[in-house]
Amino acid sequence: MKLTDIDTPAVLIDTDRAEANLQKFQTYADNHALTVRPHIKTHKLPRFAKRAIELGAIGITCQKLGEAEVMADAGMSDIFIPYNIIGKAKLERLAKLNERITISVTADNETAIRGYAEAFAGRKKPLTVLVECDTGMGRCGVQSPQEAVALAKLIDASEGLNFAGFMTYPKTGGIETTQAFLAEAEKLAIAAGLDPHTISNGGTPDMWRAHEVASATEHRPGTYIYMDLFQVAKGAGTLDDCALTVLATVVSRPTKNRAIIDAGSKSLTSDTLGLSGFGRVVEYPDAVISSLSEEHGTIDLSACQHKPKVGERIRIIPNHACVVSNLFDSVVLISGDTVTEIAPVAARGRVD
């Protein structure tokens, strides 16, 4: 199949670039004695999870239980879910998954821990739990090393649970703060007679500085496999590293300086992440994707010397690749301009 045979809008994955991105970070981690546990939320494809492990990753990270079930069915045997799993139905599914594979989860409150303990007490295989720490991101996580150790003690004392260590999803640029928090939590835990053998750090924007968080034993990059405009803006990669593009068609030219494409918020996502516009048009870098409705993208061509015509196909590097993956049932794998496969996005929509 040729690329010209692909209908639009479609997601194209340059597998050569994706492979290079995987290899580059694995080499970096190996050189700094860091374990890699990549996050599959960006691609949601078992093939890339398996490839990361082939290259040396210890296991994978899934954000939700549904993703983990898909990946376990595909043969992944070591999965981390950095999320408070709450509710009887989910805990029953977690227990079944724990019987099949090596799995670990997080907690940042007593309610989650007591729920885990109730679900796993008396079972042959305990549940491995890490304490989530807020080192500056301002999302989930305990607010101090002292709180982290208090929860670690509760996990350690709970039947059916094993305390494994600490994890964080840090604020971009917060290397020093993250290291200080994790180092103090580790020190206090050891002083309390606990064994925080896993200290898990994450994120793509600061991944080339991951070794500066000296307390961390592993790193969880996600977007690194595809990159996107946000990661380029943060210096994690270049435009030439971006493996995911959205193929779209110009369907209207209502004015001299306006083009309309068949890719709107249901294809490109409305995330701006602080950037101007909604993606970069590869063929027309001076064009600005100024607004999105559900099925239409509006492009401002005012700064363009050459302008696309109706019927022309263009590629767009999105601001945020992870969301785009979840908007399509399948992606088109390419090498150069050759289509190698159309692959279903196996874990798409698994928000439970």
Side-chain angles (χ1 to χ4, degrees):
M1 179 181 290
K2 299 178 181 179
L3 195 52
T4 52
D5 296 325
I6 299 299
D7 200 5
T8 63
V11 172
L12 309 180
I13 305 299
D14 186 319
T15 54
D16 300 321
R17 291 186 178 187
E19 174 71 13
N21 291 338
L22 290 174
Q23 290 190 19
K24 186 177 179 181
F25 186 72
Q26 185 64 56
T27 298
Y28 162 85
D30 291 344
N31 290 340
H32 290 92
L34 265 176
T35 295
V36 181
R37 185 182 288 278
H39 208 312
I40 63 89
K41 69 183 178 66
T42 299
H43 55 78
K44 295 177 175 279
L45 299 174
R47 66 167 55 240
F48 285 136
K50 291 176 182 178
R51 183 58 186 149
I53 291 172
E54 289 171 357
L55 290 170
I58 191 174
I60 62 171
T61 304
C62 296
Q63 198 60 35
K64 289 296 187 74
L65 187 57
E67 289 180 343
E69 290 168 331
V70 170
M71 291 295 156
D73 289 344
M76 302 300 104
S77 60
D78 190 332
I79 300 176
F80 176 41
I81 306 176
Y83 207 90
N84 292 317
I85 298 178
I86 306 291
K88 183 178 179 181
K90 286 186 174 64
L91 289 170
E92 289 177 353
R93 289 164 57 199
L94 178 63
K96 291 179 181 178
L97 196 57
N98 191 58
E99 293 172 358
R100 297 169 53 194
I101 64 170
T102 297
I103 194 160
S104 53
V105 299
T106 58
D108 72 350
N109 61 79
E110 290 189 14
T111 299
I113 293 170
R114 297 195 188 285
Y116 293 149
E118 182 177 343
F120 283 84
R123 293 183 181 271
K124 292 182 180 180
K125 185 180 177 183
L127 176 68
T128 298
V129 185
L130 286 76
V131 176
E132 181 166 4
C133 304
D134 179 6
T135 60
M137 182 64 176
R139 196 167 63 184
C140 295
V142 296
Q143 300 300 296
S144 71
Q146 292 74 22
E147 291 180 71
V149 173
L151 288 187
K153 290 178 179 178
L154 179 58
I155 295 166
D156 186 63
S158 298
E159 183 184 354
L161 306 183
N162 278 339
F163 168 69
F166 304 105
M167 66 76 58
T168 186
Y169 182 67
K171 180 181 179 180
T172 300
I175 297 291
E176 293 78 11
T177 302
T178 297
Q179 167 56 18
F181 191 118
L182 295 177
E184 181 67 11
E186 180 184 22
K187 182 180 76 173
L188 293 174
I190 292 172
L194 302 173
D195 178 21
H197 54 81
T198 299
I199 298 183
S200 184
N201 190 23
T204 295
D206 288 329
M207 66 183 187
W208 304 118
R209 297 182 63 195
H211 65 285
E212 296 178 35
V213 183
S215 293
T217 61
E218 67 177 30
H219 196 80
R220 310 182 318 276
T223 315
Y224 82 120
I225 184 172
Y226 288 166
M227 293 296 181
D228 54 27
L229 285 189
F230 177 74
Q231 301 303 331
V232 171
K234 293 300 179 182
T238 69
L239 292 173
D240 289 337
D241 296 319
C242 292
L244 181 151
T245 54
V246 174
L247 182 67
T249 299
V250 176
V251 295
S252 179
R253 281 289 309 280
T255 71
K256 176 183 177 182
N257 289 323
R258 188 190 335 149
I260 306 297
I261 56 174
D262 60 352
S265 62
K266 290 181 177 179
S267 301
L268 288 171
T269 164
S270 56
D271 284 1
T272 61
L273 301 178
L275 304 174
S276 60
F278 295 90
R280 177 186 174 92
V281 181
V282 175
E283 297 84 357
Y284 299 92
D286 293 326
V288 177
I289 303 176
S290 56
S291 66
L292 301 176
S293 52
E294 290 183 53
E295 306 293 356
H296 298 80
T298 300
I299 303 180
D300 181 353
L301 303 172
S302 301
C304 298
Q305 182 176 359
H306 303 287
K307 307 175 195 291
K309 299 177 181 179
V310 172
E312 187 171 340
R313 289 146 68 94
I314 60 175
R315 295 191 199 185
I316 300 162
I317 301 173
N319 293 339
H320 192 184
C322 306
V323 181
V324 173
S325 288
N326 200 51
L327 294 173
F328 288 78
D329 289 330
S330 61
V331 293
V332 181
L333 305 182
I334 61 173
S335 178
D337 287 330
T338 300
V339 175
T340 59
E341 185 179 344
I342 297 178
V345 184
R348 176 182 184 255
R350 298 307 299 263
V351 297
D352 52 341

